[in-house]
Amino acid sequence: MTSTEQDKPTWCKPFPVIGKGTFLFNVSRNRPFRIIVRDLVPNSQIDTSFIEMKVGYEEAILTCKTDNHNFVYPSKKPHPFFGNNIGIEKDLFCTYWLSYDSDRMIVKYGKGYRMNMTTILNENVYLVKESLRKIIKDAFFNPTVHRNVELYDEVDVTYSMMDVETVVDFDHLPFVSDRPPIAVDSSMLNMFDLDEGRFTYSASLPKECLELYTNVTAKNVDLALMEDDSCPDFNLVDAIRNSIRTPDALLHGILKSKEGEFGKSDPRQTYLRITLGHEFGNSPGVPYVLEIWPSDHGSPIHNHGNSYGVIRVLHGGLTINVYNKTSQVKQSTTYTPDDQDYMFDFNVKKDDVTWISPNWYQTHKLWNNTDDFCATIQCYKYGENDNTHWPYFDYVASCNVMDEFEPNSDLTFTELFNKLKDEFLSSKSK
Ligand SMILES: [Fe+2]
């Protein structure tokens, strides 16, 4: 079925920025649908051109149509990440997105987060024979023309306009390229790194992340500098290591008591949360948390409820697996990705900083594959445009069911310091 004069869109809205943007459709679908981009005020007598993205069963087809030409771009299978699963995610909640970029004359379609790896169609529509390029540019990419996005169902609509309104969204920008997960202070920038695009520089972070980055990269945020004049032999790094490894010691005991916290029997899926400071209502839980990861321990796959975050490694190292946006059945009964479905992984070590945002690196699993413990300082903040303020981390629990983790505290930092100092003094006196 193609678009005809008789078709009625289920929903339509103009792109907020002229000539570019990403349309996001967060919905559970079990039948094909089409997204059409066309002039906001079409003159049907002379202009019937439009861009159509059809998402079907294991297929996605982009068509750019003028009166006299049809430029058709079918998706290729298998996709490097999705395999043959490039169409609708039957009965699963999923974000389908369409990026429209008149500057580059590129249209992209994908599922989940907007990333290179989740891009299923990436079509430079301008790459046609030279005689057709002016037609393409005038019909689809005139940067002065306001355009609507229209949503069409293949069959009768079964949900209300109100329902649809809650599941569509726009990003003002088209998706152009990935952002690196490691953040580096802008004062360290050099031209080779800039040219290779290896890092996200601090001044280029989302503003929510920049605030967190500025605080956690302060010189004195360092476990090795946490000293006590009354107890000069006390070393916090050694004390944490001993307390984790010694049966009946404080941290060993807390870790034992947390086994099963994430619904799985794997005792390695535990880590310590040491909170710093108070809540201000602008983050899920206390915004600053020292997390302590024993060797071969880690987290379940989880996301951060669309908040912004920054993680600085204070000791040791971690491996971070990055996952696509979770697709799940309504009422959270089944979760499709498992541990092996990650898109890529990367290692972080002492003083490395990584960041997350609603679209970038939001769903991850952290694991300490080193022989020593790892300590990180993690901090989170809700975005200014976040109207939900989801207070939980959603994680994959037993039987691949999604569950909610309410950020909690095992100890405050001052409690940790004083108790480990007491533990150190007590062991010395024996
Ligand atoms: Fe996390």
Side-chain angles (χ1 to χ4, degrees):
M1 180 170 159
T2 57
S3 175
T4 67
E5 295 270 333
Q6 291 76 40
D7 288 336
K8 289 278 191 296
T10 307
W11 179 93
C12 98
K13 201 167 185 175
F15 271 112
V17 177
I18 298 174
K20 63 178 67 171
T22 305
F23 172 67
L24 306 163
F25 188 27
N26 310 294
V27 75
S28 171
R29 302 288 314 194
N30 54 22
R31 59 176 181 269
F33 62 92
R34 293 171 297 130
I35 300 165
I36 286 181
V37 179
R38 76 167 98 229
D39 292 3
L40 187 61
V41 187
N43 181 340
S44 60
Q45 299 303 307
I46 58 169
D47 184 4
T48 59
S49 60
F50 59 84
I51 295 171
E52 178 190 78
M53 183 71 234
K54 178 182 175 181
V55 181
Y57 302 107
E58 292 199 356
E59 69 169 6
I61 302 170
L62 173 70
T63 304
C64 299
K65 185 182 180 310
T66 69
D67 282 344
N68 302 313
H69 298 91
N70 262 2
F71 304 95
V72 181
Y73 307 88
S75 53
K76 297 174 187 69
K77 291 191 285 192
H79 182 270
F81 179 65
F82 293 105
N84 290 333
N85 183 29
I86 54 182
I88 59 167
E89 297 269 345
K90 209 170 176 195
D91 294 325
L92 294 174
F93 265 110
C94 175
T95 299
Y96 304 89
W97 55 266
L98 180 75
S99 167
Y100 167 70
D101 183 355
S102 67
D103 291 357
R104 294 163 191 81
M105 290 184 266
I106 289 177
V107 179
K108 296 184 181 185
Y109 154 75
K111 296 193 290 188
Y113 299 121
R114 282 94 72 203
M115 306 177 73
N116 285 336
M117 195 165 268
T118 63
T119 300
I120 293 167
L121 275 167
N122 178 4
E123 302 301 339
N124 187 332
V125 179
Y126 196 60
L127 293 179
V128 290
K129 60 183 177 182
E130 204 161 349
S131 61
L132 294 175
R133 287 182 180 173
K134 186 171 185 326
I135 293 171
I136 290 273
K137 194 168 182 179
D138 289 347
F140 308 121
F141 298 111
N142 182 337
T144 65
V145 173
H146 268 287
R147 288 187 171 80
N148 257 340
V149 179
E150 302 169 349
L151 182 65
Y152 290 81
D153 279 281
E154 286 286 279
V155 294
D156 290 343
V157 178
T158 57
Y159 44 75
S160 71
M161 291 292 281
M162 188 66 85
D163 288 336
V164 180
E165 189 70 32
T166 60
V167 294
V168 295
D169 201 1
F170 283 101
D171 186 331
H172 283 214
L173 298 175
F175 168 58
V176 178
S177 56
D178 285 347
R179 291 177 178 270
I182 301 288
V184 168
D185 197 285
S186 291
S187 65
M188 302 299 289
L189 186 155
N190 73 53
M191 288 184 284
F192 286 117
D193 287 342
L194 192 62
D195 189 35
E196 292 167 19
R198 293 176 59 203
F199 305 112
T200 297
Y201 287 97
S202 55
S204 303
L205 286 167
K207 64 178 186 305
E208 293 86 350
C209 289
L210 178 58
E211 177 189 326
L212 302 170
Y213 178 93
T214 306
N215 288 340
V216 300
T217 54
K219 186 163 63 74
N220 291 333
V221 177
D222 187 337
L223 291 184
L225 297 178
M226 298 295 106
E227 296 171 340
D228 187 328
D229 291 343
S230 69
C231 186
D233 295 344
F234 178 67
N235 175 299
L236 185 57
V237 171
D238 290 341
I240 291 172
R241 185 183 297 116
N242 289 335
S243 192
I244 289 171
R245 290 179 178 173
T246 309
D248 300 328
L250 175 71
L251 301 186
H252 190 92
I254 297 175
L255 285 161
K256 275 277 172 205
S257 72
K258 296 183 74 168
E259 289 181 5
E261 180 179 40
F262 294 108
K264 284 190 175 173
S265 55
D266 187 350
R268 301 174 307 161
Q269 218 171 66
T270 47
Y271 62 95
L272 299 167
R273 293 176 51 84
I274 312 298
T275 48
L276 300 99
H278 305 285
E279 292 190 47
F280 297 103
N282 61 354
S283 63
V286 173
Y288 295 90
V289 183
L290 171 68
E291 298 192 344
I292 297 173
W293 311 82
S295 173
D296 197 27
H297 281 229
S299 74
I301 304 169
H302 63 283
N303 67 51
H304 285 270
N306 282 337
S307 63
Y308 292 81
V310 164
I311 302 169
R312 178 184 174 189
V313 181
L314 298 179
H315 180 83
L318 281 177
T319 300
I320 300 177
N321 289 6
V322 177
Y323 294 80
N324 196 10
K325 193 170 186 175
T326 54
S327 302
Q328 63 184 97
V329 170
K330 202 171 186 175
Q331 310 305 331
S332 65
T333 53
T334 303
Y335 173 84
T336 49
D338 65 23
D339 275 9
Q340 302 310 312
D341 285 336
Y342 59 90
M343 294 191 287
F344 65 93
D345 62 3
F346 62 100
N347 293 325
V348 287
K349 60 184 187 313
K350 184 172 175 359
D351 289 331
D352 283 345
V353 178
T354 185
W355 62 285
I356 66 171
S357 75
N359 186 64
W360 294 103
Y361 315 115
Q362 175 74 204
T363 303
H364 61 189
K365 184 179 85 168
L366 282 58
W367 207 267
N368 178 0
N369 291 311
T370 75
D371 294 334
D372 197 4
F373 79 91
C374 174
T376 56
I377 184 162
Q378 321 232 8
C379 44
Y380 307 102
K381 195 170 185 209
Y382 295 130
E384 269 183 19
N385 298 323
D386 182 350
N387 295 321
T388 304
H389 284 201
W390 189 246
Y392 308 111
F393 301 157
D394 299 324
Y395 70 96
V396 182
S398 57
C399 306
N400 282 355
V401 173
M402 289 298 288
D403 210 339
E404 292 159 359
F405 171 70
E406 189 170 348
N408 55 15
S409 174
D410 297 312
L411 295 166
T412 68
F413 183 73
T414 304
E415 285 172 341
L416 172 85
F417 189 89
N418 290 335
K419 285 174 186 263
L420 290 185
K421 191 178 72 175
D422 291 347
E423 198 165 79
F424 169 76
L425 292 171
S426 152
S427 70
K428 260 182 77 174
S429 66
K430 283 180 184 169

